[in-house]
Amino acid sequence: MQLEATTVDIGTTRPLVLLNTVDAAELGAHPIDRVRIQHAGETTTGIVKRTDELVPPGTVGVTEPLHHVRGTVDVTLAGAPHSVRYVRKKLDDIELEADELEAIVRDIHESRLSDVELSAYVSAVYANGLSLEETKHLTEAMTDVGEQLQWETPVVADKHSIGGVAGNCVTPIIVSIVAAAGLTMPKTSSRAVTSPAGTADVVEVFCDVEFTIAEIESIVEETNGCLVWGGGVDLSPVDDEIIRAENPLSIDPPGQLIASVLSKKRSAGSTHVVIDIPYGEGVKVESLVAARELADDVKRVGDHLEVDVTCAITHGTDPIGRGVGPVLEARDVLEVLEGDGPESLRLKSVRLAEMLLTHCGVDASATEILESGRALERFRRIVAAQGGEPDIESTDLEPGAESTTVRAERTGIATRIDNRQLCELARRAGAPLDSRAGLVIHRTVTDAVESGDRLYTIYAETPTKLAEAERLADRLEPVRVRSKADALVERR
């Protein structure tokens, strides 16, 4: 069928082809079918979207990835890519071979899978899991698609947390300590997947996080470290597409998580990595047994990739820090670097930094580097190198103007703080898209609480989002307070 190509902008980066329903019916094309477009001696493929209004009969609309298509084109039906069969195999809980996983990764990278098919892949992995061999092959395939950083130094330090703990933004502190100790630490981080703030969201409060590879190399040469968004460069770019599909479902299955983390680490040129695996009620990994199993798998995949990985299994029941949300977590980070701040955040940052220094064979004290002010000085250098204001103070970081405080309805003891519920509340308030939204936690587990004491404060940038968070707070109990007698029974 010959049609006139016209460009359309419907806010997508997917290679969509808009066909009027009349032309689609004649062609026999259904939604998310593929069509082959021949133009100027070239052939390209797009995913069908049927419409009654956006394009008239006789015209084919092409979205941004296909904007090079012009003039009169020949449109025919095309079959689905082979990787769709492999997605179906995974839905049937059949283990995939290396070449099948490579095909899925390649087609995700080249935007050949529709959003529905990508969601089906994510759902299949969530429901049926990945074997260790599948995880190894997937990690390799994700690493091989995209750029890879290379460094002259033989030791390149890195750290990653699998997440799930509210306020767990230790990375900027660790990078500042490790870089000040003389190690190279080019830290690429993710934006939020299921949390109210990823490390990149927090760092963006201070400075830019999107840079080219050449710019990253320059920043690291100047400061020994960087704090950048991995999605801003072409390092394991398929990971970002998969995260985009996981985000609405708030899922992060273990095998995919390992492939996500280690493909980024290998692409960043990291040689020595510490992986933080928090466990406990209300976080991603709920038991010590599961945490140990995950740590073993991470190490095995790391060995396969020739990346020296060690895991820190940490208790994740309680939040780390006081703030949850980009600006509030950024304030905690800067307070710790300034010599104050939440003790839980300072202690975990120092312990992980010490572990990473030892893992890299460096004889230095993380505590001394932090307390001497060397870490703060290095953090300010990194912020300046990334286009931020180096002299920013923690007191400059203000949360959203709309707020409400939830208070205790009884006297007793705080027996549990639910990370998952705190994250749900912060996201409902607008985090991470609204950087000043989130909440501040006023109590920790085992604290004595009087009736009327503050438990947590919710911040939002608009009254509407604050009201939405308040309605959710009425149904949840993120900070559980019990009488002393009930608390003793609960502990038993």
Side-chain angles (χ1 to χ4, degrees):
M1 175 182 291
Q2 288 197 330
L3 300 171
E4 286 297 317
T6 183
T7 59
V8 294
D9 183 2
I10 57 173
T12 182
T13 58
R14 314 295 288 170
L16 297 185
V17 172
L18 277 65
L19 291 174
N20 187 276
T21 52
V22 173
D23 294 329
E26 183 178 343
L27 193 61
H30 301 282
I32 78 169
D33 279 350
R34 272 81 176 174
V35 290
R36 187 177 295 108
I37 303 174
Q38 292 180 312
H39 63 102
E42 297 181 2
T43 302
T44 190
T45 302
I47 300 169
V48 171
K49 180 178 177 65
R50 293 170 60 131
T51 178
D52 289 318
E53 300 177 350
L54 295 179
V55 295
T59 301
V60 55
V62 292
T63 57
E64 183 180 347
L66 304 176
H67 277 185
H68 60 285
V69 177
R70 291 284 192 278
T72 302
V73 298
D74 191 56
V75 181
T76 57
L77 278 178
H82 291 310
S83 63
V84 173
R85 300 183 210 167
Y86 309 143
V87 171
R88 193 177 300 118
K89 281 182 65 175
K90 195 63 198 171
L91 284 166
D92 290 333
D93 199 14
I94 300 171
E95 186 167 342
L96 299 180
E97 301 295 332
D99 62 328
E100 295 171 334
L101 287 162
E102 288 169 6
I104 291 173
V105 168
R106 185 171 57 252
D107 284 345
I108 293 173
H109 179 56
E110 296 177 4
S111 299
R112 290 178 184 158
L113 295 186
S114 68
D115 287 341
V116 171
E117 291 157 346
L118 180 56
S119 295
Y121 164 75
V122 168
S123 299
V125 172
Y126 176 73
N128 298 319
L130 293 170
S131 69
L132 183 61
E133 288 303 307
E134 284 179 308
T135 303
K136 290 177 181 177
H137 296 318
L138 177 62
T139 308
E140 280 188 307
M142 290 174 62
T143 303
D144 291 341
V145 174
E147 300 287 343
Q148 295 188 38
L149 292 171
Q150 295 183 336
W151 307 97
E152 294 182 1
T153 178
V155 176
V156 179
D158 211 335
K159 167 267 167 194
H160 187 87
S161 174
I162 68 167
V165 178
N168 189 28
C169 197
V170 298
T171 296
I173 302 169
I174 293 171
V175 171
S176 302
I177 292 171
V178 172
L183 278 169
T184 297
M185 191 167 180
K187 185 70 181 77
T188 62
S189 300
S190 299
R191 297 192 184 275
V193 180
T194 60
S195 71
T199 298
D201 301 307
V202 175
V203 175
E204 199 167 36
V205 172
F206 298 106
C207 56
D208 295 335
V209 295
E210 296 188 37
F211 297 95
T212 65
I213 287 178
E215 289 168 337
I216 290 173
E217 290 171 344
S218 177
I219 292 166
V220 173
E221 182 179 357
E222 180 182 345
T223 69
N224 286 350
C226 68
L227 291 158
V228 302
W229 176 45
V233 287
D234 202 30
L235 304 179
S236 186
V238 167
D239 181 45
D240 301 300
E241 286 298 302
I242 292 172
I243 287 174
R244 184 177 65 83
E246 290 175 331
N247 206 356
L249 301 172
S250 291
I251 60 174
D252 201 5
Q256 189 65 56
L257 182 153
I258 294 171
S260 171
V261 172
L262 292 185
S263 65
K264 289 288 192 187
K265 300 305 140 194
R266 192 183 184 197
S267 296
S270 304
T271 62
H272 293 68
V273 183
V274 168
I275 306 291
D276 173 30
I277 304 178
Y279 77 94
E281 187 178 3
V283 297
K284 288 182 181 179
V285 181
E286 296 205 344
S287 71
L288 180 58
V289 171
R292 286 172 174 164
E293 289 176 352
L294 180 61
D296 287 343
D297 286 346
V298 169
K299 290 176 184 176
R300 290 190 184 104
V301 177
D303 289 343
H304 180 73
L305 299 173
E306 299 183 341
V307 178
D308 195 346
V309 177
T310 188
C311 295
I313 297 176
T314 57
H315 197 263
T317 301
D318 296 338
I320 303 298
R322 290 186 291 261
V324 182
V327 165
L328 293 165
E329 293 182 39
R331 186 169 67 180
D332 281 355
V333 165
L334 198 46
E335 285 179 351
V336 169
L337 288 167
E338 290 169 345
D340 193 11
E343 179 64 12
S344 58
L345 181 61
R346 187 195 72 82
L347 188 59
K348 184 167 185 179
S349 299
V350 166
R351 285 178 175 172
L352 290 175
E354 201 78 56
M355 187 174 181
L356 185 53
L357 291 170
T358 301
H359 187 52
C360 293
V362 174
D363 183 15
S365 167
T367 300
E368 187 278 328
I369 292 171
L370 179 63
E371 292 181 348
S372 68
R374 290 165 60 198
L376 175 61
E377 186 273 335
R378 185 60 52 132
F379 176 75
R380 294 194 185 285
R381 283 181 60 186
I382 293 172
V383 168
Q386 293 185 199
E389 172 50 60
D391 296 326
I392 190 172
E393 305 288 343
S394 57
T395 52
D396 298 327
L397 300 175
E398 294 290 337
E402 305 294 330
S403 68
T404 187
T405 297
V406 176
R407 299 180 180 273
E409 296 179 353
R410 62 173 69 89
T411 296
I413 296 172
T415 62
R416 181 193 176 201
I417 298 180
D418 191 311
N419 280 291
R420 188 171 287 124
Q421 291 189 16
L422 289 172
C423 289
E424 287 177 11
L425 280 171
R427 288 174 71 91
R428 188 65 62 88
L433 293 180
D434 296 343
S435 65
R436 297 190 300 136
L439 52 86
V440 171
I441 309 152
H442 302 299
R443 291 289 179 267
T444 59
V445 172
T446 73
D447 278 358
V449 178
E450 297 291 330
S451 178
D453 281 354
R454 297 181 305 164
L455 298 179
Y456 58 93
T457 299
I458 304 171
Y459 292 93
E461 295 187 7
T462 67
T464 301
K465 289 187 178 179
L466 180 64
E468 290 177 3
E470 287 177 315
R471 283 193 291 272
L472 180 60
D474 288 340
R475 303 197 303 270
L476 301 180
E477 190 183 25
V479 181
R480 184 166 62 198
V481 177
R482 296 291 182 264
S483 68
K484 291 183 180 181
D486 288 342
L488 287 172
V489 172
E490 200 170 281
R491 287 178 193 171
R492 292 173 189 163

